[in-house]
Amino acid sequence: MVQYNFKKITVVPPGKDFIDIVLSRTQRQTPTVVHKGYAITRLRSFYMRKVRFTKQNFHEKLSTIIDEFPRLDDIHPFYGDLLHVLYNKDHYKLALGQINTARNIIEKISKDHVRLLKYGDSLYRCKCLKVAALGKMCTVIKRIGPSLAYLEQIRQHMARLPSIDPNTRTILICGYPNVGKSSFINKITRADVDVQPYAFTTKSLFVGHTDYKYLRYQVIDTPGILDRPFEDRNIIEMCSITALAHLRAAVLFFLDVSGSCGYTIAQQAALFHSIKSLFMNKPLVIVCNKIDLQPLEGLPEDDMKLVMGMKEEAAKTVMAQGGEPNDDGVLLSMSALTDDGVIAVKNAACERLLNQRVETKMKSKKINEVVNRFHVAIPKPRDNRERPPCIPQAVLEAQAKESAATEKRKLEKDFEEENGGAGVYSASLRKHYILASDEWKEDIMPEILDGHNVYDFVDADILMRLEELERQEGFRLETEGEEADFQYDGMELTPEEKEALAEIRRKKSLLIQEHRIKKSTAESRPTVPRKFDKDKKFTSKRMGRQLSALGLDPSAAIDRVRGRSLSRKGHKRERSENRDVNGGDSMDIDGGENPSKKLRMRSRSMSRSRSQSRPPPGEIVPGEGFKDSAQKLKAIKIARNSTKMRNRDARRGEADRVIPNLKPKHLFSGKRGIGKTDRR
């Protein structure tokens, strides 16, 4: 939509910064080392490259400034005159002309010194020519420093200008200061223009946007204009005059009928007649504002004649399609404070502007190119019967039923209004409860009853669970009654067994008491494994003494503890003895198996539960899922081939995506000098 975006203009650096930027770039992006021993052609090319590169950087930056700043003769007249009002186009053109001249001078300096460098006969002379060329270029930039600073100020101010499209649908608001223009634009758009009760609060153009009939309209708020000669108007007033002169817009001339703005209706009418030439061929609406303070009907007769005279002039400025004056909707009244008539004024302005733009396009030659694309279909009547538009009876009946149902149903809002309104009426959340009786809905439910949480006892199956618990309780009582008939009195035990039983119970009670004492004194520690028992507290001999003290035979328990280690030692000893006697033969004289071999087979079967050796690669183990050894060997081969590349890359698995550091810093971080061991 916006054709001119001044916010994208590149920042203009000051003269000193301009030089620093270009020279530092030349130093960074061109070779910097040269020796006397180089050939003279190499020396010349070295310094010629420096000069050409510097010239190119200056040329690019100066060309960017010239190209990005708008040319006043090429842009829309509205922007051209606005820039002239704000900055004086003579100074503006002079600054850009100096930039262009400096660009040409720098190019000429570069060309001359490159021609001289072609005939340089030594390193010293080539260097002097380079220094002279760069020095002259920098001197030229220093001389245009004020122009660069002036253009930077203009760039900053232009970036703050509103984005106005001169060709779109526009509504322009004008009038004396403090008549309500900014209040009106704040009402109909989302613009936030400062509103104060004194004149010239608005010092520049402000833009907002509004919609009418699905079309976007641009609304421009202009600063106030005073009734005085053209040459006496200041820059703020000239912004409004420029907008009125160049924008094809619907004009809203605001008139303060109350006189609270500080100017009488006669003064405002004089301003209208002095600038009415700017309203020619534009939709014009005279808006009588602040009718809340002074109604339009209550004006004095003299003021009313002035208002009517303005209305006649407004009707003459806008001609209808037939060439006759059109005064429909020319004079409207509103109040921005009470919003009375604000929307009517906006709609009238948008409608008049839309009609005027349509008429203009219909009168243009472009309409002939598109008129053949339109076709208006007019249906032909098939008989003389009239068929006015109507609504079917079924639809009317459905609407009546729906409205009746809506009237019968009372909402919570209706109940609230009937019972005292907000803050007094509280909606009941229980009236939709589904209970056996509606009288229970408003009952107060206790949460704590007799010190118990009531919700813990709420259960739908409470009676069924109670019956089940009673049955279980009766079954348990019957079982206890049967067991009570049999009492263990110890009459069947011998005197020795009775003594052992009493000793065991006494020992058990002592152990329980000892455990409780340790637990109470925070000495409850984990049991120490037997292999870490350095003090030999938990040995088989101690266990035997304790069992003997209780009157039990400890031999079976001791044999069970020592059985595994003794069996291992015995097997080793028997195996070594048999090997020495038989000389390693596996068969005896009678052709039977060697006893030592039988012993080894037996010991192997006994120790197989402890550990088994890995089977050969081709041997099939039940549960692996191979039908024969060939299939197993093939599977092993495929598995090895699949991991070959992974192993070669030193990856831990298929999901290893680690990228190794091929050049560790501690090995490739630079050279070390003589006598230094630290790596940098």
Side-chain angles (χ1 to χ4, degrees):
M1 176 179 174
V2 180
Q3 295 181 354
Y4 309 103
N5 190 358
F6 300 137
K7 296 179 177 62
K8 292 185 178 180
I9 300 177
T10 308
V11 177
V12 181
K16 186 176 183 304
D17 295 344
F18 204 114
I19 295 171
D20 293 341
I21 290 170
V22 174
L23 293 185
S24 64
R25 181 177 295 178
T26 303
Q27 187 71 6
R28 283 184 286 110
Q29 298 189 3
T30 55
T32 57
V33 179
V34 66
H35 299 289
K36 292 186 295 183
Y38 288 169
I40 189 62
T41 54
R42 187 173 179 183
L43 295 176
R44 291 169 184 166
S45 63
F46 176 86
Y47 287 109
M48 288 165 61
R49 182 176 179 182
K50 290 273 188 183
V51 174
R52 285 176 178 148
F53 190 84
T54 307
K55 184 267 299 185
Q56 182 181 0
N57 281 319
F58 277 123
H59 188 275
E60 289 177 357
K61 286 194 167 294
L62 295 175
S63 299
T64 302
I65 295 173
I66 295 171
D67 296 339
E68 289 187 352
F69 275 87
R71 296 184 180 180
L72 300 184
D73 298 334
D74 297 340
I75 60 177
H76 194 275
F78 164 69
Y79 273 114
D81 283 359
L82 184 63
L83 295 180
H84 173 58
V85 167
L86 295 174
Y87 317 122
N88 192 344
K89 65 179 180 181
D90 295 333
H91 296 171
Y92 178 76
K93 290 183 177 180
L94 185 62
L96 288 179
Q98 289 181 354
I99 301 297
N100 189 29
T101 303
R103 181 179 63 176
N104 296 333
I105 292 174
I106 288 175
E107 191 169 355
K108 185 176 182 301
I109 290 171
S110 172
K111 189 181 297 184
D112 294 341
H113 284 76
V114 167
R115 187 181 299 113
L116 292 173
L117 278 169
K118 291 181 180 178
Y119 301 98
D121 56 354
S122 66
L123 173 63
Y124 176 73
R125 294 199 178 184
C126 292
K127 185 174 182 179
C128 289
L129 288 172
K130 186 265 297 184
V131 172
L134 269 59
K136 291 180 181 179
M137 294 179 189
C138 295
T139 302
V140 172
I141 297 298
K142 286 181 181 178
R143 288 178 179 175
I144 64 171
S147 297
L148 294 174
Y150 173 73
L151 290 175
E152 173 61 17
Q153 293 294 326
I154 291 180
R155 185 200 66 82
Q156 294 178 6
H157 196 280
M158 291 173 65
R160 293 191 292 267
L161 287 177
S163 299
I164 299 175
D165 187 358
N167 301 316
T168 190
R169 293 170 292 273
T170 307
I171 299 174
L172 197 62
I173 309 172
C174 66
Y176 256 92
N178 201 22
V179 295
K181 302 185 296 296
S182 300
S183 300
F184 177 72
I185 192 175
N186 288 342
K187 292 290 183 181
I188 66 172
T189 68
R190 297 182 62 185
D192 187 13
V193 185
D194 188 20
V195 178
Q196 298 294 339
Y198 50 81
F200 287 107
T201 304
T202 304
K203 298 180 181 179
S204 61
L205 301 177
F206 285 89
V207 182
H209 294 85
T210 186
D211 292 333
Y212 178 72
K213 289 186 177 180
Y214 303 103
L215 295 175
R216 179 61 58 89
Y217 286 79
Q218 180 179 251
V219 185
I220 301 177
D221 180 23
T222 62
I225 308 173
L226 299 178
D227 183 22
R228 53 186 177 179
F230 184 81
E231 58 273 5
D232 294 341
R233 290 193 171 101
N234 56 20
I235 295 177
I236 298 176
E237 295 176 85
M238 289 304 298
C239 291
S240 302
I241 299 297
T242 303
L244 286 171
H246 294 288
L247 293 180
R248 298 171 53 193
V251 180
L252 297 180
F253 186 85
F254 269 61
L255 189 68
D256 186 0
V257 295
S258 67
S260 60
C261 64
Y263 304 96
T264 62
I265 295 180
Q267 290 175 318
Q268 299 179 56
L271 173 65
F272 176 83
H273 290 294
S274 65
I275 63 173
K276 66 181 180 181
S277 59
L278 300 175
F279 302 150
M280 296 301 296
N281 298 326
K282 294 178 184 177
L284 176 62
V285 178
I286 299 174
V287 181
C288 297
N289 194 16
K290 302 183 182 181
I291 60 172
D292 56 322
L293 299 178
Q294 174 62 54
L296 187 61
E297 294 80 9
L299 286 177
E301 185 177 355
D302 297 339
D303 293 342
M304 197 66 184
K305 287 182 179 179
L306 294 175
V307 173
M308 290 297 109
M310 294 169 60
K311 180 181 178 181
E312 294 176 0
E313 290 292 337
K316 293 178 182 179
T317 55
V318 181
M319 304 299 293
Q321 186 175 0
E324 298 178 356
N326 183 13
D327 58 353
D328 295 337
V330 171
L331 181 64
L332 298 175
S333 60
M334 59 161 276
S335 174
L337 182 63
T338 61
D339 293 347
D340 186 15
V342 172
I343 301 301
V345 171
K346 184 197 84 167
N347 294 344
C350 295
E351 187 67 30
R352 292 176 68 84
L353 177 63
L354 190 61
N355 294 337
Q356 193 250 4
R357 290 172 67 92
V358 171
E359 291 172 2
T360 303
K361 290 183 179 179
M362 291 296 293
K363 293 178 181 179
S364 65
K365 297 180 180 180
K366 294 182 180 179
I367 192 65
N368 298 326
E369 300 176 0
V370 297
V371 70
N372 56 353
R373 304 179 190 174
F374 298 101
H375 173 68
V376 180
I378 302 176
K380 294 181 181 180
R382 59 187 179 185
D383 51 23
N384 295 327
R385 183 179 176 183
E386 293 185 1
R387 294 180 176 85
C390 64
I391 302 175
Q393 187 65 27
V395 176
L396 294 175
E397 293 176 358
Q399 290 179 351
K401 290 181 180 179
E402 184 177 355
S403 60
T406 306
E407 292 176 357
K408 290 180 181 178
R409 182 182 177 186
K410 297 185 70 174
L411 304 178
E412 286 293 335
K413 187 176 181 180
D414 302 330
F415 288 113
E416 181 181 354
E417 294 176 354
E418 293 176 1
N419 294 281
V424 179
Y425 172 75
S426 179
S428 176
L429 303 178
R430 301 180 180 180
K431 61 184 179 181
H432 297 297
Y433 284 4
I434 302 174
L435 301 177
S437 176
D438 293 340
E439 299 176 355
W440 299 350
K441 292 183 178 180
E442 300 299 332
D443 291 348
I444 299 175
M445 182 181 296
E447 297 182 3
I448 304 297
L449 185 64
D450 297 335
H452 299 284
N453 192 347
V454 176
Y455 194 78
D456 295 340
F457 302 95
V458 176
D459 193 351
D461 303 331
I462 186 67
L463 298 177
M464 184 177 66
R465 295 175 184 271
L466 182 60
E467 293 177 0
E468 185 178 355
L469 288 175
E470 290 178 351
R471 287 197 301 270
Q472 293 179 359
E473 182 68 16
F475 179 74
R476 187 180 64 80
L477 293 175
E478 292 178 1
T479 306
E480 289 181 356
E482 294 177 357
E483 292 179 353
D485 298 338
F486 176 76
Q487 296 182 357
Y488 184 75
D489 53 0
M491 296 300 293
E492 294 83 359
L493 298 178
T494 61
E496 294 81 4
E497 291 176 347
K498 288 181 180 180
E499 292 179 1
L501 179 60
E503 184 65 23
I504 290 173
R505 288 177 176 174
R506 187 184 65 81
K507 186 68 174 177
K508 182 178 179 182
S509 63
L510 290 175
L511 292 174
I512 292 173
Q513 293 177 5
E514 183 181 356
H515 174 69
R516 288 176 178 172
I517 292 172
K518 288 182 178 181
K519 189 174 181 180
S520 63
T521 57
E523 293 183 1
S524 179
R525 297 181 178 86
T527 304
V528 180
R530 189 168 296 174
K531 63 179 180 179
F532 298 113
D533 184 20
K534 298 180 180 180
D535 299 334
K536 302 296 182 182
K537 292 182 178 180
F538 304 98
T539 60
S540 58
K541 292 182 180 180
R542 181 183 177 186
M543 183 181 66
R545 289 195 303 271
Q546 290 178 351
L547 292 176
S548 300
L550 296 175
L552 300 176
D553 186 9
S555 58
I558 293 173
D559 292 341
R560 186 167 59 252
V561 173
R562 296 179 177 177
R564 180 172 295 181
S565 59
L566 291 176
S567 63
R568 291 179 182 175
K569 293 179 182 179
H571 292 159
K572 290 180 181 178
R573 186 167 54 252
E574 290 177 2
R575 188 161 56 247
S576 61
E577 291 176 354
N578 292 328
R579 187 180 295 112
D580 295 339
V581 171
N582 298 322
D585 296 334
S586 61
M587 300 293 293
D588 58 1
I589 299 174
D590 297 334
E593 289 187 357
N594 195 341
S596 62
K597 185 176 181 180
K598 293 181 180 180
L599 182 61
R600 287 199 302 273
M601 293 298 292
R602 184 170 66 253
S603 64
R604 182 181 300 172
S605 63
M606 291 175 64
S607 63
R608 184 167 295 173
S609 62
R610 292 194 302 272
S611 65
Q612 291 183 355
S613 60
R614 183 178 298 173
E619 184 178 347
I620 300 175
V621 179
E624 289 183 339
F626 299 109
K627 63 181 181 179
D628 52 12
S629 60
Q631 188 181 23
K632 182 176 181 180
L633 292 173
K634 185 177 180 181
I636 293 172
K637 184 178 180 181
I638 293 173
R640 288 175 180 171
N641 292 337
S642 65
T643 59
K644 186 181 298 183
M645 295 297 293
R646 188 180 71 203
N647 295 338
R648 190 177 69 180
D649 295 339
R651 299 192 180 277
R652 295 182 179 180
E654 295 179 358
D656 187 5
R657 294 293 183 269
V658 177
I659 300 176
N661 187 6
L662 301 180
K663 286 190 174 184
K665 186 175 180 181
H666 68 282
L667 294 179
F668 297 92
S669 59
K671 298 180 181 180
R672 287 185 293 173
I674 300 175
K676 292 185 178 181
T677 58
D678 59 334
R679 299 179 176 88
R680 299 183 183 272

